[in-house]
Amino acid sequence: MLFPTLSFGLFFLLVFALTWSTTSNDWRKLVLLVASWIFYGAWDWRFVPLLIVSAVMNWGVAALIARDGDRKRRKALMLGGVVANLVMLGFFKYFDFFAEQAGSLLELLGVRQDPALMQVILPVGISFFTFQGISYAVDVYKGRVPAARLLDILLLMSFFPHLVAGPIVRASDLVPQFQQKPQLNRGMVTMGLLLIVWGLFKKAVIASELATAFVDPVFEAPMMHGRIDLILAAYGYAVQIYCDFSAYSDMAIGIAALLGYRFPRNFDRPYRSASLQEFWRRWHISLSRWLRDYLYIDALGGNRGGKAPVYRNLMLTMLLGGLWHGAAWTFVIWGGLHGAALCVERWWSRASLTRTWVLPHWAKVALTFHVVVLGWIFFRASSFGDAIAYLGGIFAPQVDTMTVTPLVVALILFGLTIHALPWNAMQRAAERLRSLPAPAFALGLAATMLVVDAMRYEGVAPFIYFRF
Amino acid sequence: MEARIRDSYEFPTDLAEEADTRGALRWTIGVIATTAIVLALTNAGAISGWASSFDPQPGVIALVHAADGWDEATARLGLGAPHARLHRAWKHMEQARWSGGGPVVEQAALTASAPEQGPASQR
């Protein structure tokens, strides 16, 4: 059940009516919980029990940690919980990948052994809800949040707006909201509706049009395209993935708002970043903060221990962050590229060169953007070989054809231009619109949705981040 | 350059100076209901396409008939015309090429081999 479909719209209307008609907060949460399981079950019913088991396990671990006074036992419980989450993620997401790599390694050593592939089906959203479970167990261990009720943890991990593609909302943000019956205000609703329509436009018009009309065909057959196509398709993918993923986050934030809950911002105009470090503060903010807080600082030690460990920690964080996106070497290379660039940036900012050789801001933005685009080529390509062939085509094209259309170029430019908007442009619009009478606001909303629907590509492709 | 890079959690739906929650639910229901009605009147084709996307069963067939009847009724009143006009204009923009000529044959062939998207009826 994808957000930009009529099926989801009807499902949401029913959930909206039921949640706001309940008088008790516990009944409200039960309605949301059942709705979330129906939403998740629409993909594959078999994985609903997995989601429930994961939530119950994390609730149980956190409850035991909170009850135990012994420091060593608490730590053992927390580590046990983290390992259990990672085993679950590892089995469903990485089993076949590592079995294949082990088979290749054995073959190199002269041992012929067919890898025991299990063709494991990846449950949608597992990367998101296991990370959420890990953060909850660690936060309770560290005393950042108190242990919560089972119902709250079940809902925290199953809540349908963020379930399949984030944002990764932490217990400290959402559980306190679950503990009291939410109230709507006009500003929250206006902003939520604007985010939903803006997300719909970014996904259904920009991302879908770019993917279908240009980016997918070019990445499928890079050797059949000329240099201009290859360069523009790389830019096009940068815009497509931003519009696709940020659209999901925007719609998730908007849908949660209509149900009375606040989700944190997940994107903040990432392509205006003047450094990779800044890029990761603006791109998939909930994941980059998760990686920073739980992996880079808690697990690896962060900036402690001198220069070499810091660079090692940066590389490891980004390599594992890359692997989180998918069981493929292209994602590891993508993470490694970002890790290496972050290390170079750190070295550069601490070297004396920075005082004598200063790049203007626009050049830093352009340089950062092109490093990010280079990474996207590996991220998008089906294999390492395809990515190299793509890059080779840019420098030594085999054909001189150009298939890019004026509309595609206009959409790429539009997707980049929106990064120049002020960070609170939509909030300012919502502050004005919230005072309108309901019929007037609704007419504007309906007219905008009608225009978006007329422009959208036929059908709805799944969101890119669903497979992570 | 950006004056500051914010490192604290921000909640986009928190607007300034908003504390009054009186009548907000009624206002929200009014907005959602009016929007749904306007869209059902002006974009009935989407409902018809959505209904046809299900496997044919007795209940679904009745739904398809009702949706098609609604689509025809709104079309007779000309309510679907703005959407249709906008869609045609968008399709025209999609077809535009740098030379001003017709669609590029190679592009069409490549697009045809692109990963399959959902049918229009998935709306």
Side-chain angles (χ1 to χ4, degrees):
Chain A
M1 208 184 321
L2 298 169
F3 284 169
T5 59
L6 191 52
S7 297
F8 178 79
L10 295 172
F11 165 82
F12 178 75
L13 286 182
L14 184 66
V15 174
F16 179 86
L18 286 172
T19 47
W20 288 111
S21 57
T22 53
T23 47
S24 135
N25 192 32
D26 278 350
W27 276 109
R28 178 181 222 280
K29 286 189 278 190
L30 278 172
V31 168
L32 287 174
L33 191 58
V34 172
S36 298
W37 291 340
I38 292 170
F39 175 82
Y40 195 58
W43 268 282
D44 196 330
W45 270 107
R46 290 172 299 172
F47 295 125
V48 176
L50 177 76
L51 177 64
I52 298 170
V53 166
S54 174
V56 172
M57 188 267 292
N58 284 298
W59 166 79
V61 166
L64 289 172
I65 291 171
R67 218 172 288 165
D68 207 316
D70 183 73
R71 205 166 56 89
K72 278 187 183 167
R73 266 204 308 270
R74 283 165 56 87
K75 189 170 185 178
L77 280 166
M78 182 272 289
L79 288 174
V82 171
V83 169
N85 278 296
L86 291 178
V87 165
M88 195 184 294
L89 181 63
F91 174 74
F92 283 102
K93 193 161 179 174
Y94 302 107
F95 183 87
D96 281 353
F97 174 70
F98 283 117
E100 229 171 295
Q101 305 313 312
S104 304
L105 190 67
L106 284 174
E107 204 171 314
L108 276 178
L109 298 171
V111 183
R112 281 199 67 83
Q113 174 99 37
D114 285 335
L117 300 183
M118 293 176 73
Q119 305 294 334
V120 181
I121 303 168
L122 181 67
V124 67
I126 190 168
S127 310
F128 290 92
F129 68 72
T130 49
F131 266 33
Q132 208 169 22
I134 290 172
S135 70
Y136 174 59
V138 173
D139 283 351
V140 171
Y141 167 73
K142 296 239 171 194
R144 294 169 185 152
V145 293
R149 293 170 64 200
L150 178 59
L151 179 59
D152 289 341
I153 296 306
L154 279 168
L155 187 54
L156 170 76
M157 288 185 64
S158 314
F159 194 32
F160 71 87
H162 70 65
L163 175 58
V164 293
I168 303 170
V169 190
R170 297 185 194 182
S172 55
D173 288 321
L174 207 45
V175 169
Q177 296 187 59
F178 286 153
Q179 286 167 347
Q180 48 197 331
K181 195 173 177 191
Q183 285 196 310
L184 282 179
N185 61 56
R186 276 195 187 196
M188 191 177 186
V189 173
T190 310
M191 191 62 197
L193 289 168
L194 289 185
L195 281 168
I196 291 170
V197 176
W198 179 232
L200 189 67
F201 174 72
K202 283 193 290 185
K203 168 62 184 170
V205 179
I206 302 181
S208 293
E209 183 72 37
L210 282 177
T212 316
F214 186 57
V215 174
D216 286 349
V218 175
F219 271 90
E220 290 301 316
M223 306 317 285
M224 290 171 66
H225 291 268
R227 178 179 285 136
I228 293 174
D229 271 3
L230 292 168
I231 292 171
L232 287 177
Y235 292 159
Y237 185 66
V239 172
Q240 182 205 336
I241 193 168
Y242 166 69
C243 286
D244 189 289
F245 191 23
S246 70
Y248 189 90
S249 292
D250 287 350
M251 285 191 259
I253 295 167
I255 289 162
L258 293 181
L259 295 170
Y261 302 104
R262 300 147 68 239
F263 281 3
R265 186 190 292 273
N266 209 23
F267 287 87
D268 183 14
R269 304 155 302 153
Y271 298 142
R272 64 186 290 157
S273 307
S275 67
L276 258 292
Q277 192 184 28
E278 187 184 345
F279 175 79
W280 281 103
R281 285 185 188 157
R282 295 175 178 274
W283 177 271
H284 201 174
I285 298 167
S286 62
L287 174 70
S288 49
R289 284 187 179 164
W290 195 101
L291 292 173
R292 181 192 67 185
D293 294 346
Y294 299 100
L295 182 60
Y296 182 73
I297 296 174
D298 285 349
L300 299 172
N303 293 343
R304 291 191 296 260
K307 280 182 191 170
V310 169
Y311 289 123
R312 179 203 62 200
N313 294 347
L314 267 177
M315 274 309 286
L316 274 175
T317 302
M318 296 316 293
L319 284 170
L320 291 171
L323 196 60
W324 175 88
H325 284 81
W329 286 111
T330 46
F331 293 120
V332 179
I333 291 162
W334 173 74
L337 182 77
H338 275 265
L342 283 166
C343 288
V344 170
E345 251 179 38
R346 191 178 172 87
W347 168 79
W348 180 266
S349 67
R350 278 154 180 74
S352 55
L353 287 164
T354 192
R355 278 175 230 126
T356 51
W357 217 72
V358 181
L359 284 174
H361 184 72
W362 66 265
K364 287 183 191 169
V365 172
L367 182 63
T368 304
F369 176 67
H370 283 88
V371 172
V372 171
V373 170
L374 176 65
W376 287 142
I377 293 174
F378 287 93
F379 193 93
R380 172 62 181 81
S382 310
S383 66
F384 180 72
D386 284 358
I388 295 299
Y390 193 101
L391 288 168
I394 291 177
F395 293 104
Q398 295 188 359
V399 289
D400 195 24
T401 55
M402 192 178 94
T403 59
V404 69
T405 64
L407 179 63
V408 165
V409 173
L411 290 175
I412 293 171
L413 289 174
F414 182 82
L416 295 174
T417 309
I418 53 177
H419 286 71
L421 287 170
W423 67 274
N424 58 353
M426 199 172 287
Q427 272 122 326
R428 279 196 255 165
E431 277 165 15
R432 289 173 183 221
L433 293 170
R434 68 183 167 186
S435 55
L436 287 176
F441 182 56
L443 283 176
L445 197 65
T448 313
M449 289 175 86
L450 197 69
V451 172
V452 170
D453 191 75
M455 293 161 79
R456 73 191 291 180
Y457 184 77
E458 280 78 4
V460 181
F463 287 89
I464 292 174
Y465 264 67
F466 275 19
R467 62 195 167 106
F468 305 142
Chain B
M1 188 175 161
E2 191 84 344
R4 61 203 173 99
I5 296 170
R6 295 167 301 282
D7 197 36
S8 58
Y9 272 118
E10 268 188 274
F11 295 89
T13 50
D14 286 354
L15 300 188
E17 297 163 17
E18 176 79 51
D20 193 2
T21 57
R22 280 175 304 171
L25 184 57
R26 204 176 325 123
W27 185 83
T28 308
I29 292 167
V31 169
I32 292 176
T34 313
T35 306
I37 292 166
V38 173
L39 286 174
L41 286 166
T42 55
N43 194 15
I47 304 173
S48 177
W50 168 77
S52 329
S53 69
F54 297 106
D55 292 334
Q57 288 167 3
V60 171
I61 291 166
L63 178 71
V64 170
H65 278 304
D68 287 349
W70 177 253
D71 190 15
E72 282 163 23
T74 56
R76 270 198 301 276
L77 294 168
L79 294 172
H83 181 272
R85 250 199 310 274
L86 281 167
H87 190 63
R88 273 198 303 276
W90 181 251
K91 286 287 156 197
H92 187 72
M93 286 170 75
E94 277 183 335
Q95 296 298 318
R97 296 293 182 268
W98 295 107
S99 58
V104 178
V105 175
E106 186 203 6
Q107 169 70 11
L110 287 167
T111 307
S113 68
E116 196 182 333
Q117 304 285 313
S121 54
Q122 270 188 9
R123 290 179 183 185

